Amino acid sequence: MDPDTPRTTPRKSALFDDYTLSEIRRAASTGIYDIRGGGSKRRLPHFDDLLFLGASMSRYPLEGYRERCDTGVVLGTRFAKTPLELKIPITIAGMSFGSLSGQAKEALGRGANAAGTSTTTGDGGMTPEERGHSKQLVYQYLPSRYGMNPDDLRKADAIEVVVGQGAKPGGGGMLLGQKISDRVAEMRTLPKGIDQRSACRHPDWTGPDDLEIKIQELREITNWEKPIYIKIGGARPYYDTALSVKAGADVVVVDGMQGGTAATQEVFIEHVGQPTLACVRPAVQALKDLDMHRRVQLIVSGGIRNGADVAKALALGADAVSIGTAALVALGDNDPHWEDEYRQLGTTAGAYDDWHEGRDPAGISTQDPELAKRLDPVRAGRRLANYLGVMTLEAQTIARACGKTHLHNLEPEDLVAVTVEAAAMAQVPLAGTDWIPGRGY
Amino acid sequence: MAELDLAEVGLRAVNQQLHALSRESNDLDWRLLNPLGRHSIAVGLDAPAKVTVEGHAGFYCGGMNKQAEIIIEGHAGPGVAENMMSGTVRVKGNASQSAGATGHGGLLVIEGDASSRCGISMKGIDIVVGGSVGHMSAFMAQLGTLVICGDAGEALGDSIYEAKLFVRGKVESLGADCIEKEMTPEHLETLGSLLERAGIDADPEDFRRYGSARKLYNFDVDHADAY
Amino acid sequence: MCGIVGFFTKNPEFESRLGEHLSSMLIEMSDRGPDSAGVAIYRDPAPKESVKLALFSADDAFPWKPLAKEMTKSLGHKADVEVRASHAIIVVHGDLDGVRAWLGEHHPELRVMSAGSTIEIYKEKGLPKDVVRRFALREITGTHALGHTRMATESAVTTQHSHPFSTGLDLCLVHNGSLSNHNRLRRRLERDGVEFQTDNDTEVAAGYLTWRLRQGASLDEALEAAIRDLDGFYTFAIGTKNGFAVLRDPIACKHAVLAETDDWVAMATEYRSIATLPGADKARIWEPVPARIYSWGRA
């Protein structure tokens, strides 16, 4: 070939990008799908695509540092004798001892206590340490019923019946055996070191009509004291919220697809469910259609990161939000401090998601005592409390700018969207217009 | 002996009175009249009481029981003795599906038949069924013993962990990773004492034992079709 | 997601109390289905060469008597009408297709809820106790009946979305569960001329049976085929002219209890619906096994 002939620049396929190619090779070599932790990593319309309309002339703002802007929320006012009273509308989502180290669970409890909010158990039962370190603890009732027992049920401040998770609506997980330590195995009544295949349906009820009976049983056992939450994956949020209310929920938790998980198939995380932003309005509409908005409280989770996200979720109609991934980052997850070790694991700080493998350099998603020791629960708890405080201050800042004396007075009309997609999903106008695309619910 | 009429005082009052019992209570022998298929009867008990349900019960009778001896003089609805921790639940008639689901301990005796998913996700409970069980029984059974004096339906012990299964009649089919295992003298003894505790007259020698092949315990690409 | 009840009299003495028993059974299933309720009652066979239709009007003040007069005049045979709240039973000499065509042309606002010789379907939004009162169901007599209370899953709460769904002459279907392939199946059936009034999954199951029966299948054959073609979770009860049938899907998550005495057969999603029937304490009680068709009928 004539050396002077211009050469075509090598061009990589947008479709078969490096990640896709590596996945094909990995699948061909191992014969198993990729399992990982965390939530969706793809770019999705999110709360960032919404903006608040602060006050100027037509409305008056509150003085940022002086005039009150309340943040408290009461969860479980419908049937429960003792609702949960939280100082801030940000709760800590369910994460199990097993998926997380004992130190990490303790840190979550300490941070939540300091901020005046609740933590949640996970798949694997309640540890005495966790109960001890959390003033307000929500006990998850899951299909596996690992470690489920009536004493812990009665010790809980609320019960969360988990029907689905945003990362994997309709699925159970498969947690590889590395994290099934002696203690985790004992709590879950499983042999040590085996892969844990989680069920996707509850073993003794199917459907909202049966769930109503199950909830009655849980209430009878706990003397009708505890608020009962129902947690659903963001898939069909309108119907699922409506059915949760009909089944007797005090609180509905809607977890969008950016919600994290300890471990499930990558294909599940990225291809099943709806973005959190798209879940809020249908869920709120279902509550309104049943005349239950604010009577049954709505918690939204899945990718909440800062006070703006909190304020936006509340403006769209949520009563509170829940954080998981962000709380772990506050404790120290994926911290660049451990970059050398992340590199040894073939990843980098910020991308580490093999939480199921139990080799977390930050000592959070692990059962290895040496790694777990790296996390100081007191200091990590303090970091979480700081972070929760900042989120709350940020949300208050926005609310005051909109003239609100309580975060719950934020409204959809305080928002505009900067993309057509977000405008359609959040059902707020595209900025500069009065156009709400595709008004559905 | 104390009597409570469910039709008169209602479920809440009955459960409240039963929850108030303790080892020191004067009367620990209770009869519950007119259950009429009501749900959540005698759930969450935690005292060495004897509670007799005079008729058919609905869902979750004896759910999460600790210590108590509960006798259902009729049929039981779905999830009887679900998540039991200790004590005894005895069903004189048949039980609907998910009997003894996720039970951690205690003894569940079903004198008649049990429907599908008997002993699903069981975690240490012992279950003795005088008759037959339906499909998917002992699904994901983790620990404990399920004794079936009659036949077992399809997919017995699918994805089973360390629970032990004994069947006297025929097994329609075994689920993934469940296999027949050798009956050792030790197993015969376990079975014999369980039958005796259950008050069911059967010869342990007539039973076969089933349990986990443990091939699904850790992922192996060559067993992928069994997941 | 719902509650189902069925009552079939073996002893004719029970026919006079059919409505009373059915109503009590239905109200017991209120928790499972607070959105709407409906029943199919089998009674008073229409005279030979006549048809009996259950019609629904969304207009509470619909002039049913003038309608009967209009039909009598137009069709050349006397049409009898009996009004029950939003529904009316019309018995008229003639073939069904002719009567349907006439109604479609002259009163497109009316919905045919059921058609046949003995079937009468009544259904409405609201709590079962209110539906029972509105239609005065307690006083209704008959040989057998099915009832349904609905907790809507993915389709709207309307009268048309309520069960039972008519699936052909004297046939109806009620469903507890949730189908997962009904949209595709609906499109296939529509190509074959089956008409649907709603987006409800159960109506697809009903339409499917209608379609199979129209092709010449027996009810048992149609149900066998349904086990293959319908995906999802279901317990069906099917009302027939002479009795009723029960079928659960092969996974069988949705409950059903059957009870039989010398006097009656009863079916319900939960035993509590059966508990107060006379003789229930002595009844033979069992649970239908998955994917098996149970049916009762009189010759």
Side-chain angles (χ1 to χ4, degrees):
Chain A
M1 202 195 296
D2 180 350
D4 293 334
T5 307
R7 301 287 296 266
T8 303
T9 303
R11 180 181 172 191
K12 286 193 173 175
S13 167
L15 201 58
F16 289 89
D17 60 7
D18 284 349
Y19 173 75
T20 306
L21 295 172
S22 71
E23 258 311 287
I24 294 173
R25 287 185 207 106
R26 200 200 51 74
S29 137
T30 63
I32 184 173
Y33 36 54
D34 185 28
I35 292 179
R36 70 167 174 91
S40 174
K41 292 186 169 187
R42 62 155 89 193
R43 181 172 294 282
L44 294 163
H46 198 47
F47 294 111
D48 277 346
D49 302 320
L50 304 180
L51 299 171
F52 276 102
L53 305 173
S56 301
M57 286 285 273
S58 64
R59 309 243 181 140
Y60 318 128
L62 298 178
E63 279 297 346
Y65 300 97
R66 292 182 190 83
E67 287 165 343
R68 272 177 61 189
C69 177
D70 293 337
T71 60
V73 59
V74 184
L75 299 171
T77 52
R78 186 186 184 192
F79 293 120
K81 281 187 205 159
T82 48
L84 220 55
E85 293 182 24
L86 305 181
K87 286 188 187 144
I88 59 171
I90 309 164
T91 69
I92 307 298
M95 290 176 275
S96 70
F97 169 75
S99 70
L100 301 188
S101 64
Q103 286 85 339
K105 286 298 285 182
E106 181 184 334
L108 291 175
R110 287 176 180 274
N113 286 351
T117 190
S118 60
T119 62
T120 313
T121 65
D123 202 355
M126 184 191 286
T127 64
E129 298 95 314
E130 180 173 28
R131 179 62 277 189
H133 290 295
S134 299
K135 277 190 203 142
Q136 289 168 305
L137 181 60
V138 182
Y139 187 30
Q140 284 196 331
Y141 190 73
L142 292 127
S144 71
R145 312 274 165 86
Y146 292 138
M148 170 52 53
N149 74 76
D151 298 331
D152 289 343
L153 205 61
R154 285 184 276 255
K155 278 183 212 150
D157 297 295
I159 299 161
E160 180 170 289
V161 179
V162 180
V163 183
Q165 229 179 308
K168 48 183 179 190
M174 190 172 106
L175 187 52
L176 300 184
Q178 293 91 326
K179 281 166 82 174
I180 311 292
S181 66
D182 284 327
R183 184 167 180 207
V184 173
E186 194 196 326
M187 280 180 69
R188 302 184 185 204
T189 333
L190 285 172
K192 189 185 174 185
I194 68 162
D195 296 344
Q196 189 186 291
R197 294 154 279 153
S198 298
C200 65
R201 286 202 311 268
H202 280 257
D204 55 357
W205 62 270
T206 309
D209 44 9
D210 291 346
L211 176 54
E212 181 178 19
I213 301 169
K214 174 51 78 177
I215 286 178
Q216 182 204 38
E217 185 205 5
L218 295 173
R219 291 198 198 276
E220 281 295 322
I221 291 172
T222 55
N223 196 28
W224 289 73
E225 284 165 3
K226 326 278 180 196
I228 307 252
Y229 301 11
I230 297 179
K231 178 174 180 173
I232 54 178
R236 293 179 169 88
Y238 179 84
Y239 296 123
D240 292 347
T241 301
L243 289 166
S244 298
V245 171
K246 289 178 193 175
D250 291 305
V251 175
V252 181
V253 184
V254 178
D255 190 25
M257 76 178 278
Q258 293 102 315
T261 175
T264 196
Q265 296 93 331
E266 149 92 11
V267 70
F268 220 139
I269 296 176
E270 295 291 4
H271 299 276
V272 183
Q274 297 206 49
T276 305
L277 184 65
C279 293
V280 188
R281 293 304 290 273
V284 171
Q285 192 59 45
L287 293 172
K288 285 184 176 162
D289 287 350
L290 294 166
D291 198 20
M292 282 291 172
H293 190 222
R294 303 285 190 226
R295 292 207 265 167
V296 167
Q297 286 78 36
L298 174 68
I299 301 180
V300 167
S301 58
I304 303 290
R305 304 152 301 166
N306 52 44
D309 288 350
V310 176
K312 289 166 187 175
L314 264 50
L316 294 180
D319 294 278
V321 298
S322 202
I323 59 167
T325 306
L328 297 187
V329 173
L331 299 187
D333 177 70
N334 266 294
D335 196 304
H337 177 73
W338 304 105
E339 181 60 16
D340 289 349
E341 296 192 38
Y342 285 122
R343 290 202 179 264
Q344 280 170 29
L345 294 171
T347 182
T348 182
Y352 178 67
D353 57 15
D354 287 325
W355 296 348
H356 59 290
E357 291 183 351
R359 293 186 289 173
D360 184 358
I364 293 169
S365 61
T366 184
Q367 288 300 315
D368 180 324
E370 287 306 310
L371 292 173
K373 238 172 27 194
R374 293 179 177 181
L375 189 81
D376 175 350
V378 177
R379 287 177 55 197
R382 179 60 203 252
R383 281 199 298 270
L384 176 62
N386 286 345
Y387 170 61
L388 288 167
V390 169
M391 283 176 105
T392 307
L393 287 170
E394 287 174 343
Q396 284 173 302
T397 299
I398 288 171
R400 284 197 184 97
C402 295
K404 319 283 180 181
T405 56
H406 196 294
L407 293 181
H408 284 159
N409 293 341
L410 289 163
E411 301 168 318
E413 287 74 10
D414 293 317
L415 291 166
V416 292
V418 291
T419 67
V420 175
E421 290 85 348
M425 290 181 189
Q427 291 163 47
V428 300
L430 187 66
T433 76
D434 59 1
W435 180 46
I436 300 176
R439 192 143 217 180
Y441 291 102
Chain B
M1 189 170 55
E3 263 183 12
L4 284 172
D5 187 334
L6 275 150
E8 250 168 50
V9 302
L11 179 75
R12 188 75 277 269
V14 167
N15 281 334
Q16 245 168 342
Q17 296 217 38
L18 297 177
H19 288 174
L21 297 177
S22 71
R23 190 174 292 281
E24 288 75 37
S25 298
N26 284 335
D27 203 338
L28 284 167
D29 189 354
W30 290 69
R31 301 184 82 78
L32 307 183
L33 311 181
N34 286 314
L36 300 177
R38 279 183 181 79
H39 307 316
S40 309
I41 297 171
V43 296
L45 302 196
D46 190 3
K50 182 179 171 193
V51 178
T52 307
V53 180
E54 304 249 323
H56 305 312
F59 285 49
Y60 309 130
C61 187
M64 299 209 189
N65 184 47
K66 283 176 79 181
Q67 303 190 64
E69 179 190 358
I70 298 168
I71 298 154
I72 300 162
E73 302 268 3
H75 302 312
V80 64
E82 68 88 19
N83 214 87
M84 177 154 64
M85 306 304 291
S86 63
T88 312
V89 173
R90 178 179 293 273
V91 182
K92 297 275 193 171
N94 300 330
S96 181
Q97 60 193 51
S98 305
T102 76
H104 284 70
L107 174 67
L108 168 63
V109 182
I110 297 155
E111 296 187 359
D113 296 329
S115 177
S116 57
R117 302 181 180 86
C118 180
I120 183 171
S121 262
M122 53 194 279
K123 295 167 172 41
I125 188 175
D126 292 319
I127 306 176
V128 180
V129 182
S132 299
V133 301
H135 70 286
M136 292 299 270
S137 286
F139 175 56
M140 295 183 98
Q142 293 172 221
L143 199 67
T145 311
L146 173 61
V147 179
I148 301 156
C149 297
D151 304 331
E154 284 175 10
L156 177 71
D158 195 289
S159 303
I160 188 172
Y161 295 97
E162 292 297 302
K164 294 184 181 67
L165 313 180
F166 297 98
V167 186
R168 182 162 66 171
K170 69 176 202 309
V171 174
E172 203 157 320
S173 67
L174 291 172
D177 214 30
C178 186
I179 53 168
E180 184 169 351
K181 293 190 155 183
E182 192 197 344
M183 182 79 95
T184 66
E186 195 185 326
H187 293 116
L188 283 172
E189 201 187 308
T190 307
L191 176 58
S193 74
L194 203 50
L195 285 165
E196 200 182 309
R197 275 172 61 209
I200 287 183
D201 183 23
D203 182 354
E205 300 277 356
D206 295 341
F207 286 75
R208 288 160 172 261
R209 180 169 83 93
Y210 303 88
S212 180
R214 303 189 178 104
K215 290 206 165 116
L216 299 184
Y217 275 16
N218 290 98
F219 183 82
D220 178 340
V221 66
D222 294 324
H223 298 138
D225 58 348
Y227 283 95
Chain C
M1 296 294 159
C2 313
I4 295 177
V5 299
F7 191 78
F8 173 82
T9 60
K10 289 159 79 176
N11 175 350
E13 282 176 23
F14 278 76
E15 291 179 19
S16 62
R17 278 176 283 159
L18 180 87
E20 187 190 322
H21 293 321
L22 183 77
S23 300
S24 302
M25 292 177 82
L26 198 67
I27 289 166
E28 198 62 53
M29 289 295 93
S30 299
D31 291 347
R32 300 192 81 88
D35 293 334
S36 67
V39 296
I41 313 248
Y42 291 83
R43 63 178 195 147
D44 305 341
K48 227 175 155 203
E49 291 176 26
S50 291
V51 288
K52 173 153 84 170
L53 295 152
L55 301 178
F56 160 71
S57 168
D59 173 9
D60 277 348
F62 185 83
W64 294 106
K65 290 268 183 311
L67 173 77
K69 275 191 194 149
E70 192 187 342
M71 283 180 99
T72 304
K73 203 170 151 192
S74 187
L75 294 168
H77 293 284
K78 185 161 177 359
D80 291 317
V81 63
E82 192 194 331
V83 181
R84 270 180 196 276
S86 57
H87 289 44
I89 303 300
I90 301 258
V91 178
V92 61
H93 187 88
D95 69 297
L96 177 65
D97 289 346
V99 178
R100 259 187 198 277
W102 186 90
L103 279 167
E105 192 184 328
H106 296 88
H107 290 280
E109 75 280 16
L110 297 178
R111 299 273 185 189
V112 178
M113 293 312 207
S114 67
S117 147
T118 60
I119 191 172
E120 297 176 12
I121 286 180
Y122 303 96
K123 52 188 186 180
E124 258 308 350
K125 287 177 290 184
L127 285 171
K129 70 174 166 54
D130 298 329
V131 174
V132 162
R133 194 178 52 228
R134 197 170 314 161
F135 291 118
L137 292 180
R138 285 193 185 276
E139 66 187 39
I140 284 193
T141 61
T143 54
H144 57 290
L146 287 181
H148 185 268
T149 66
R150 177 164 185 246
M151 185 187 281
T153 45
E154 286 186 18
S155 54
V157 179
T158 73
T159 306
Q160 282 96 312
H161 281 83
S162 310
H163 305 215
F165 284 97
S166 168
T167 79
L169 285 181
D170 285 315
L171 271 180
C172 72
L173 175 90
V174 295
H175 170 208
N176 179 20
S178 168
L179 301 180
S180 62
N181 69 339
H182 59 283
N183 294 308
R184 187 182 297 272
L185 195 56
R186 180 190 289 108
R187 288 189 284 271
R188 191 177 113 200
L189 295 172
E190 277 172 340
R191 279 202 300 279
D192 275 358
V194 180
E195 287 174 18
F196 294 97
Q197 299 187 356
T198 73
D199 57 348
N200 183 287
D201 57 339
T202 308
E203 194 185 8
V204 176
Y208 176 86
L209 294 184
T210 309
W211 175 69
R212 284 280 177 200
L213 295 166
R214 201 186 280 169
Q215 290 174 329
S218 68
L219 181 61
D220 276 16
E221 286 165 350
L223 290 172
E224 287 287 353
I227 295 171
R228 282 197 312 275
D229 287 345
L230 298 178
D231 206 351
F233 294 85
Y234 52 84
T235 292
F236 291 136
I238 299 102
T240 69
K241 188 174 174 181
N242 299 315
F244 75 94
V246 174
L247 173 66
R248 299 171 79 197
D249 70 74
I251 297 174
C253 280
K254 299 312 288 181
H255 312 282
V257 180
L258 288 161
E260 185 164 13
T261 69
D262 290 342
D263 294 324
W264 48 259
V265 180
M267 181 266 175
T269 304
E270 295 173 30
Y271 174 74
R272 58 180 161 146
S273 270
I274 296 171
T276 52
L277 292 172
D281 48 340
K282 301 278 187 304
R284 184 169 82 87
I285 292 164
W286 76 103
E287 201 168 85
V289 304
R292 186 187 294 171
I293 299 161
Y294 294 79
S295 56
W296 284 266
R298 59 187 84 226

